Every structure is written in structure tokens, then in C-alpha cells.
Amino acid sequence: MKRFKMLIDGKAIESASEKAAVIKNPANQEPVAEVSLGDREDAALALGAAERAFPGWARTDPKKRGDLLCRGADLVRERAEEIARLLTMEQGKPLRYARREVLSSAEALDYYAEEGMRNFGEIVPSSSERTRSLVVRQPLGVAAVISPWNYPVDLLAWKVAPALAAGCTVVAKPSSKAPLAATEFIRAIHEAGIPPGVLNLVHGSGRDVGSELVESPISRKVSFTGNTETGKEIMEKASRHVKRLSLELGGHSPAIVCEDADIDEAAESCVQRAFSNMGQICISVNRIYVHEAVAEEFAERLVKMTGKLRIGDGLDPDVDLGPMFSEAQRKKTKDQIADALAKGAAVLCGGSEPEGEKYSRGFFFMPTVLDDMDHSMRMMREETFGPVAPMMRFSANDEALRLANDSRYGLAAYVFTENMTTALWFAERLEAGSVGINTTSPIIPSAPFGGWKESGLGRERCRAALYEYMEEKHIRIGLREGI
């Protein structure tokens, strides 16, 4: 069985403890590979390497940094099939979606290779002929980036790329539950010619490795994607050194289907976003509010489209949905469904595990549509992270807005209407970092992404992410009088 090592100071090494973990396929529980399991000592070693490498990398010509990122992107594309197969086997998503994720990670490297060369400063108007004021941006230092299991390559890439482009050195910690594809992604970037110590990777738990990355005074920036509770713990620990933070946390995205919506388009979009990656995505459609005048028609279309989805092993080219990532995720989904049914909800389709021998060893669950939901149900208050589309009916737009905003989360929201006035009315009032109008795909490279309220702080993607890894400095210059 292949063993995946860590990358510290330019070398692939075992952990100091020599401990290892076996990564298993969620579709059948068969072993995929072993991974070297690090602890605080390994994290400290990586931070030290990044600290030593920082001055040289920060002074490197941005064009050279960009060239190395582009070369890394080329290597990722060359190895895309290998990385994608690892991703499917460790995480479960269908192979075609794994390929898409890997290619998106290469796009991140190319994007910030260009953006890093546009780190322009400013000349501030002066009130005196004998003074000038310059504002420049400089790299923060060592960045600790911590990524989750649901998109282990893509979400890591959109942290690593801006950090390196900005001139920061990096210690990356992928999810200990899905580290294989992320490790190969980091290895490809390193083999493009990144100097030793600039890009490091440590496997291990959040309790050990993650805590060291956050608590050490060496790291000056922490970027984390994961659940809100862990994000709050990171904020508390990082506050001891007043570190810069980017936190992309939980979501509970509402979709509002207005009376005048294109019902086919709305249903198709909600199916795609509610069930993609088995609902294990931070911007998944978690709540659907449907105008009572079109609720029956919408429910019929939603159920019909859901019934066409094919579920199975992600390596099967004919499937649309793979297994859930873990038994814990499946149980959470089942518990929330049971709570909803006990409080009056109705199952329109799904609601159980699929039958058959081929599903018996994996964490499979049928995509589920629920109706007659209300806010007393856990599913309408808590992030499910499972393949469920719960519906609730409304009679007026202001009611739908109130329900949509009645959440501690604010990552994304969606509105379906043919009336642009209505669309903008909702978009300007919804409490979310991203709003999709007649689409549930609100994330693009060139626009900022992040949450309101308890969905996090800071922004990823676009130029905003580059600046998250930089400090602003004002330089005031006194000039001599005359020439």
C-alpha cells in the first residue's frame, strides 16, 4: 500500500512519531493508502522551515513567483487523472466532478500567478510640497492554511495560490480524513521549482497539528475552511498573537422560488445545488421557500428530477452521486430527517439508504425531498451537510425574506424570479456574502467569496484574497527644499 509522506523544508519525510493512518474508500470501506500522521513537533518543524524561507521568497520578483505557479499549474494538469482518482477514492464524489475540482485548482494557480504581478501601491495626495506619501502592500509572513474534506484540493488551492503569489511562505494542513489528493497537489507545485521551506505540508489532526499552526507565534496568518464551532476556537487561539484570519465557515443557504419563477429552471438549479457532492458543500441549498401558488408544480418537478439521479461508486462513469463521506455524516442526515418527520414534515422521495448488495458497504443515502417544513425543525436551523432538499411555502415576498434571513449563517442565498425589480429587492436585503439570481452557482474566480454573520470573515478568490495575505504600509517622505 502506498504511503503518503509530509513535505517539510523541501523534503518528503515521515512524521517524528512514525505513526500512520489508513485512508478508506467511503464507497466500499476498502483501504486506499496510508498517510504519515504528524503531531505538534512536525508542525513546529514546518513552521520553522517556512520562517527561514520567508525573507528570500518575499523578496523574489513577483514575475518569477508567478512563473513557478504557472509551472505548478501545468504539472497539476498533467497529473489531473491520477489526482482525481485519488480524490474520488478517498472522498467519494464521482470521477468527473473530481476531475473538475483538480482542474479548478490549477486555474487558481494560474489566476494568482497573474494577480500577484498587479500588486500596485498608491501615491496619496500631500498637503505639503516637501512631503510625499506612499502606500505599499507587503507579504504578512508565514501563512497556515487549513482545508476540509469536502473539496480537499480546490479549497486548498484557493488559499495556497494567493498566499504564495503575495510572497508569503505556507504550511498547509489538509483534512486528516481526506489528505491524499491534496498531498499530490502540493507535491506538484513544489516540484515546479518552489524553493525549500516556501511550501510545506503536514498531515495530522486539528487537535495536534492544527493547534500548533494556530497557536505558534511564527504563523502570522491563518486561513481556515470548516465548521463554525472550530472557526470560533481558532479565533480565540489566534487572538493571543493578534493574527490575521480568513474564516470560511458553515452555511445554511436559502433558495426562494417566487410566483413568477421559471419552475423548470428553479427545480433543476435546486436539484443541482442541494445534491451535488451529496449536499456536502457549504453553499448547498439547505432550505427552499416556494410561493404557495407554484408550490405543487415546483414539488412535482423537483421530485421528478431527483428521481433521475443515479447513485453508486464514484469510479463508475454512469453515476451522478457517490456515497456520503462518513457514517457520521449519514447519521446526522438521518437524525435531522427523523426530527422533521416527527414534527409534521412529509417525505416526497428518498429518505432512506438505497437497497442492494452494491450499497451495503458504503455510506450511501438516497437524495431526499421533504415538504411541509417549518422553522421548528432542526433541518431548517442547522447545517445538514447531506443530500436533502426541504421545502417550506410562503405567501408574500416579505415573509420569504424574513424566513431566509432567520439564520445565524450568511454564506449564500438564491432567488428565482423573472422580475428584475423583485430580484434586486431580495438581493439587496438578503444577509449573505453571495446571492445568486436564477442560478445556484455564485462562485467565480474574479469575485470575492465569503460569509456574513457566523459564516465567517475575510474573503477568498479575486484580488481581495491576495490582500488577505498582505499588510499595508504608509511611507511618508520628507523632501529637501528646492533643487
Side-chain angles (χ1 to χ4, degrees):
M1 187 184 304
K2 183 175 180 179
R3 190 175 178 110
F4 285 70
K5 298 180 181 181
M6 300 182 295
L7 176 67
I8 298 178
D9 206 10
K11 300 181 181 67
I13 66 171
E14 291 283 358
S15 63
S17 67
E18 298 186 350
K19 292 181 180 179
V22 176
I23 304 301
K24 296 182 178 180
N25 189 330
N28 51 34
Q29 289 303 287
E30 293 180 0
V32 179
E34 284 187 334
V35 59
S36 182
L37 206 57
D39 56 20
R40 279 184 175 267
E41 182 179 349
D42 301 292
L45 190 65
L47 286 167
E51 184 179 37
R52 290 189 299 274
F54 172 69
W57 185 248
R59 291 193 299 267
T60 299
D61 179 2
K63 173 67 165 58
K64 183 176 180 180
R65 292 199 297 253
D67 289 343
L68 291 172
L69 289 178
C70 286
R71 197 176 307 159
D74 290 340
L75 288 177
V76 170
R77 292 188 183 96
E78 289 175 14
R79 303 172 187 180
E81 188 65 21
E82 174 190 354
I83 298 174
R85 289 185 69 84
L86 278 172
L87 177 52
T88 291
M89 289 190 290
E90 67 177 334
Q91 197 273 342
K93 65 185 61 175
L95 186 56
R96 66 180 179 276
Y97 297 118
R99 289 191 192 101
R100 185 182 301 174
E101 178 174 342
V102 174
L103 294 176
S104 173
S105 74
E107 180 184 7
L109 297 172
D110 280 336
Y111 183 90
Y112 285 104
E114 294 288 332
E115 202 62 64
M117 292 186 286
R118 302 189 185 98
N119 177 32
F120 306 133
E122 297 176 278
I123 298 178
V124 180
S126 176
S127 59
S128 167
E129 292 184 358
R130 295 187 59 187
T131 63
R132 297 292 184 273
S133 285
L134 312 179
V135 177
V136 298
R137 296 182 181 89
Q138 295 178 311
L140 274 164
V142 176
V145 302
I146 304 171
S147 57
W149 52 260
N150 60 329
Y151 284 86
V153 181
D154 190 55
L155 294 178
L156 181 62
W158 289 94
K159 300 176 187 299
V160 168
L164 293 178
C168 292
T169 52
V170 172
V171 180
K173 192 199 92 63
S175 167
S176 59
K177 300 175 182 177
L180 306 181
T183 300
E184 289 301 286
F185 168 73
I186 293 294
R187 188 166 71 89
I189 304 173
H190 171 69
E191 291 179 1
I194 299 291
V198 170
L199 178 59
N200 308 272
L201 178 138
V202 183
H203 302 132
S205 69
R207 181 185 63 254
D208 295 326
V209 174
S211 292
E212 181 65 23
L213 295 181
V214 173
E215 294 172 6
S216 170
I218 293 176
S219 59
R220 296 305 310 150
K221 159 81 180 187
V222 178
S223 179
F224 169 79
T225 297
N227 67 67
T228 296
E229 286 64 38
T230 302
K232 291 178 180 179
E233 292 178 16
I234 289 174
M235 287 184 74
E236 181 181 357
K237 292 177 179 178
S239 70
R240 299 166 194 170
H241 296 288
V242 197
K243 299 189 181 188
R244 289 275 292 275
L245 290 175
S246 294
L247 302 175
E248 199 254 281
L249 306 178
H252 201 250
S253 304
I256 300 169
V257 182
C258 298
E259 185 175 6
D260 65 344
D262 182 319
I263 299 301
D264 283 331
E265 180 182 61
E268 183 178 2
S269 294
C270 286
V271 165
Q272 189 274 332
R273 185 52 68 210
F275 302 130
S276 175
N277 201 30
M278 289 299 276
Q280 299 166 139
I281 178 172
C282 55
I283 59 167
S284 175
V285 167
N286 295 110
R287 302 168 281 152
I288 305 175
Y289 301 105
V290 190
H291 194 281
E292 58 189 13
V294 295
E296 294 299 329
E297 181 185 4
F298 177 82
E300 180 183 344
R301 306 285 176 83
L302 194 66
V303 169
K304 184 177 180 180
M305 292 178 185
T306 301
K308 294 179 180 179
L309 296 173
R310 300 160 296 180
I311 189 168
D313 189 322
L315 293 177
D316 182 342
D318 295 325
V319 304
D320 301 301
L321 303 174
M324 297 191 71
F325 181 65
S326 68
E327 179 56 33
Q329 289 300 129
R330 183 166 67 171
K331 183 180 184 303
K332 180 182 178 183
T333 300
K334 291 161 68 174
D335 288 348
Q336 287 195 6
I337 292 174
D339 171 77
L341 295 181
K343 294 174 180 174
V347 176
L348 300 187
C349 68
S352 62
E353 299 167 19
E355 298 178 354
E357 177 61 27
K358 68 177 182 177
Y359 303 115
S360 62
R361 298 179 60 199
F363 306 126
F364 293 99
F365 198 80
M366 296 297 292
T368 300
V369 178
L370 300 179
D371 199 1
D372 301 327
M373 301 292 291
D374 65 56
H375 276 215
S376 71
M377 301 166 185
R378 286 175 52 198
M379 187 173 291
M380 301 297 278
R381 313 293 300 178
E382 302 173 14
E383 189 174 32
T384 305
F385 237 54
V388 187
M391 290 174 46
M392 182 175 177
R393 305 176 188 217
F394 71 89
S395 58
N397 286 345
D398 58 352
E399 178 191 7
L401 179 68
R402 176 180 58 80
L403 291 167
N405 285 339
D406 183 21
S407 173
R408 67 186 179 121
Y409 299 108
L411 192 56
Y414 312 107
V415 180
F416 293 89
T417 176
E418 294 296 283
N419 186 314
M420 189 52 61
T421 300
T422 301
L424 289 175
W425 184 86
F426 273 114
E428 291 171 356
R429 290 164 176 79
L430 284 165
E431 296 169 354
S434 297
V435 177
I437 303 297
N438 296 324
T439 180
T440 52
S441 298
I443 303 177
I444 61 172
S446 53
F449 176 70
W452 288 22
K453 299 190 282 190
E454 292 191 31
S455 284
L457 53 86
R459 289 297 180 265
E460 295 194 330
R461 311 226 170 195
C462 81
R463 185 173 299 176
L466 188 75
Y467 296 159
E468 293 281 348
Y469 293 90
M470 308 191 88
E471 289 279 21
E472 281 192 329
K473 177 183 287 183
H474 172 218
I475 302 172
R476 187 160 172 82
I477 305 169
L479 303 176
R480 297 190 178 209
E481 187 173 3
I483 298 177

